[in-house]
Each structure stands twice: as C-alpha cells, then as structure tokens.
Amino acid sequence: MNVRPVLFFDIDNCLYPRSKKVHDLMQILINNFFEKHLSLSAADANLLHQRYYKDYGLAISGLVQHHKVNAMEFNHEVDDALPLDGLITPNEELRKFLSDIDTTKVKLWLFTNAHITHGQRVVRLLGVDDLFEGMTFCDYRKLPFIYKPQAEMFEKAEEEAGALSAKDCYFVDDSELNCRYAHARGWNTAHLLETGIPDPAEKAAMYQIRDLEELRDIFPHFFKDQSINKL
C-alpha cells in the first residue's frame, strides 16, 4: 500500500496575505454579533470578545459555553457573511506553486479552525480548491469544539488525512501557537511570518519562512523535478 506523507496548509493568512485584511473584517463582524445577541455596548462587546479569544482560543467557544449561542447562526452572521468576493481572487502564483508539488509523493490537505463553509469558500475564490485532497476543520455542528492547538485536533487531522505517524506530517501555519504545538507533537513544521511581522523571541518550530515559496528549499523532495519541464 502506497501511504504518502501529508503536507497540511492552514488557510486564513496563509494561503492569502494578511494585507487582504480578512481578519480585521472578521473582528468587526464578531463584535457586531456580541453586541446584537448579548445586548452589549460596542466597548463591552469587544472586551468580552477578546476575553473569550484569550481564554478559549475561539470566540465562538466562549459564546456557546456561556450563552448557549447557536454556532451555525454565528457562522452564518460572521464567517459566511464576510465580503470575500472581489477581495480574494484567483491566485495564479499560488496555483503554480501548489501544482509544482508532486502529489504522488505527498498528500495536500487543508487544516483550519474555521467551519468547512468558510474554508471551502476561500480556496474556491483562490482558484485552488481542486488541488487539495481534503480538509480538517472545526466542526461548528459538534460539541465540544475541537480546534488547533488542541491535541485532539492534531489527532483528528492525522486520522482524516491518513497519516501513519507524526513524522509523516508536514505543516505550515501563520499562528505561532499552533506551530509550537505541532512542533512539540513531532510534526515537520514551518512557521509562516509575512514581511513586517517581527520574529518571535524564540522560534516556534524547526523552520521559519517569509513566503510559501521557501517550502521548495525546506521540503525539496516533495516538488516535481523542474529540470524535466525545461527539456
């Protein structure tokens, strides 16, 4: 049986740059949700939002635990309400980069803390949805939530992607925390830091990159032989 290692890609602020400001737009929608559903002022909504994010890693986790909020309603009013059309567009450079990976040697897999609808929407808009074999996501329909950097989420990813062991897992994410946990688990991890973002005081993983293209040098054995294409 030919079991391939898995190369996991985070989605938001990883497959597209922070300069798209999707994260900033999401913060506004989350705050609006807190105001509307918890009857809070703008200031109190932001404070509680940030507290839940700090305490739980996901704002929706705090909302569900303490306020019995319907997670799919949150997803509809926040993630799925983001005005992504026109903001995220087909990226030919990203598609070329991903197409240069030899999928007979490694499996490409998405790994996100968003619900599946957001993840699917982003990769479709980027024009790369057909290049991945699957996605491990935070399922808002199931409680309790499982999400990065929980050990259960990494276990879920390994199982769903068919990885035999941690050493067969390769991972790129912009989150320092997620990368630290992945590295500690034994995953071959690359922490993506865009230009302008300072280096952490201590590296989060074995590899630290400023652009996805650097993966060609870090994991060269996963890429097609470009010399063949030049003949």
Side-chain angles (χ1 to χ4, degrees):
M1 182 173 64
N2 179 25
V3 179
R4 295 164 292 162
V6 184
L7 178 51
F8 293 94
F9 284 87
D10 178 44
I11 298 176
D12 293 299
N13 295 334
C14 187
L15 294 183
Y16 64 81
R18 287 178 179 270
S19 60
K20 296 291 185 181
K21 297 190 180 300
V22 172
H23 176 78
D24 297 344
L25 292 171
M26 185 175 290
Q27 299 311 295
I28 294 171
L29 292 178
I30 293 175
N31 282 344
N32 290 345
F33 189 93
F34 273 74
E35 287 183 52
K36 173 184 174 182
H37 292 271
L38 304 184
S39 300
L40 297 174
S41 67
D44 288 343
N46 184 59
L47 283 174
L48 190 59
H49 167 196
Q50 297 307 320
R51 191 180 108 200
Y52 285 169
Y53 181 78
K54 180 180 179 181
D55 290 349
Y56 302 105
L58 286 181
I60 181 59
S61 185
L63 283 169
V64 169
Q65 289 190 48
H66 297 289
H67 308 281
K68 309 305 179 186
V69 163
N70 184 311
M72 291 309 295
E73 185 175 8
F74 174 91
N75 187 64
H76 175 71
E77 294 187 25
V78 178
D79 294 51
D80 288 353
L82 286 165
L84 298 183
D85 295 272
L87 185 61
I88 294 180
T89 56
N91 186 329
E92 291 303 324
E93 289 184 1
L94 175 64
R95 185 171 181 84
K96 172 67 166 59
F97 165 76
L98 293 171
S99 297
D100 284 345
I101 297 173
D102 189 342
T103 53
T104 67
K105 298 177 180 177
V106 65
K107 183 183 296 185
L108 297 185
W109 201 270
L110 297 161
F111 190 22
T112 178
N113 274 349
H115 187 57
I116 189 171
T117 52
H118 175 74
Q120 289 177 332
R121 185 179 174 207
V122 170
V123 292
R124 175 180 57 79
L125 290 171
L126 286 168
V128 297
D129 51 316
D130 60 311
L131 301 179
F132 292 91
E133 296 186 39
M135 178 194 307
T136 295
F137 58 95
C138 179
D139 193 341
Y140 286 5
R141 299 163 298 187
K142 296 180 180 179
L143 297 177
F145 294 138
I146 299 175
Y147 50 90
K148 297 179 286 185
Q150 295 173 349
E152 294 87 350
M153 186 63 159
F154 288 101
E155 292 170 5
K156 179 183 177 185
E158 291 170 2
E159 181 178 350
E160 291 181 349
L164 291 182
S165 66
K167 67 181 178 62
D168 293 311
C169 297
Y170 296 75
F171 179 48
V172 56
D173 198 317
D174 67 295
S175 165
E176 178 182 343
L177 187 62
N178 292 344
C179 287
R180 289 195 185 283
Y181 275 78
H183 176 72
R185 188 174 179 81
W187 284 26
N188 305 279
T189 306
H191 182 200
L192 175 62
L193 285 168
E194 286 191 44
T195 302
I197 298 177
D199 292 352
E202 182 180 342
K203 286 178 64 176
M206 181 178 298
Y207 306 106
Q208 184 171 289
I209 61 176
R210 291 287 177 178
D211 192 288
L212 291 179
E213 288 286 344
E214 294 178 49
L215 294 179
R216 295 180 187 271
D217 298 320
I218 294 173
F219 308 132
H221 50 298
F222 290 151
F223 287 82
K224 298 170 184 174
D225 186 351
Q226 296 303 306
S227 63
I228 296 176
N229 297 330
K230 296 177 182 178
L231 295 178

